[in-house]
Amino acid sequence: MAGPQDLKALADRAVAEIAMCADDAALEAARVRYLGRKDSEVTRATKQIASLPTKDKPAYGAAVNEAKARIESALQSRSAALHGASIDSSLRERVDLTLPPRPVRIGRLHPVTATIRDVSRIFGTMGFETIEGPEIETDYYNFEALNIPPGHPAREKWDTLWVSNPLGDDPKVPLLGRTHTSPMQVRVMEKRKPPIRVVIPGRCYRYEATDAIHESILHQYEGLAIDEKLTMADLKGVLYSFARQIFGSKSNVRFRPDYFPFTEPSAEIAFSCVICEGKDPQCHTCGGDGWIEAAGCGMVHPDVLRRVGYDPDRYQGFAFGGGIERLAMVMSGTPDIRLFAQNDLRFLESF
Ligand SMILES: [Zn+2]
């Protein structure tokens, strides 16, 4: 004999099953099984009413209605849950506007590049054009044209990296990593007529045991001016102006006699220490003496002028050259030249 308790058990089973439905198809199958018009579980239970004694019919009918209502409500809420979940997951796939933004990493120039641009800009204000030259040079341009013939002791100062030459001993074939940017003095003079004002930044090579101030690959800047009536005073004026533009108006320049085979007279240039202004005997940048040796310079040697076809009685010129890393080290207080080529972002991002 069927009773209201059977309908409660039926509704419990249906509600539990509906809660497990994973998609619309499963939900529809459950609806048909429990509530469908033909031969569903609730329909069958409803038909039993006819066979019941009259006194039991109202309670049984009420139990049928209650079971139906519970199952319908379970179907509705499961359907809402399934659709809500699919909206949630489609949103997650696109974009979550509540997440904090990812930081934008802004690139910057390598300190060597930035210093080269500073040098070019400053000499540019004095009429110097920036040009570039080959990094692999011939013995002629790197040495001989600059008064450094084979056997000259100055070659010992510029030991470099040699490239094997598949064409034999042709002196015109590039053979060596240029040891300085000075070969470009000759290349420019061969191609142009005075007046000349150029600055040549670029990479150079040395065979070095590297340490805090020596690297086997380094950058230099070279300056050359050729004109009538140029003197050492013009050279000093240009370098004073450079020092004050790059290191500030307090900067001073010291010239001391030096020797280079391709300039005569020659001088060593030191800039006053911008870090300690000469007041700190322990200064890491200047070593405590207040001056930073930064470049070499001089009046272009008459033999160099003659070799390119200039008349040294009519044209004079001055040249200067210094290290780009050296400038960058002084400006930033960097203690070790090797840091520039190590690609350590902690170092590079400090600029
Ligand atoms: Zn100092």
Side-chain angles (χ1 to χ4, degrees), residues 273-280 283-292:
C273 180
V274 283
I275 305 296
C276 76
E277 296 177 343
K279 290 171 191 152
D280 178 7
C283 177
H284 291 297
T285 301
C286 66
D289 74 356
W291 295 97
I292 300 150

Side-chain angles (χ1 to χ4, degrees), residues 18 27 31 35 69-83:
I18 287 163
L27 208 57
R31 190 191 67 75
L35 297 181
R70 279 183 65 202
I71 294 167
E72 270 168 359
S73 153
L75 284 167
Q76 264 178 21
S77 68
R78 185 60 191 153
S79 173
L82 283 177
H83 285 265

Side-chain angles (χ1 to χ4, degrees), residues 20 54 74-75 83 115 162 174 180 189 206 224 293 306 309 317-318 348:
M20 303 291 287
T54 308
L75 284 167
H83 285 265
T115 307
W162 293 75
H180 46 180
M189 288 191 284
R206 304 265 174 96
L224 175 71
E293 289 170 20
R306 267 186 217 105
F318 59 82
L348 296 174

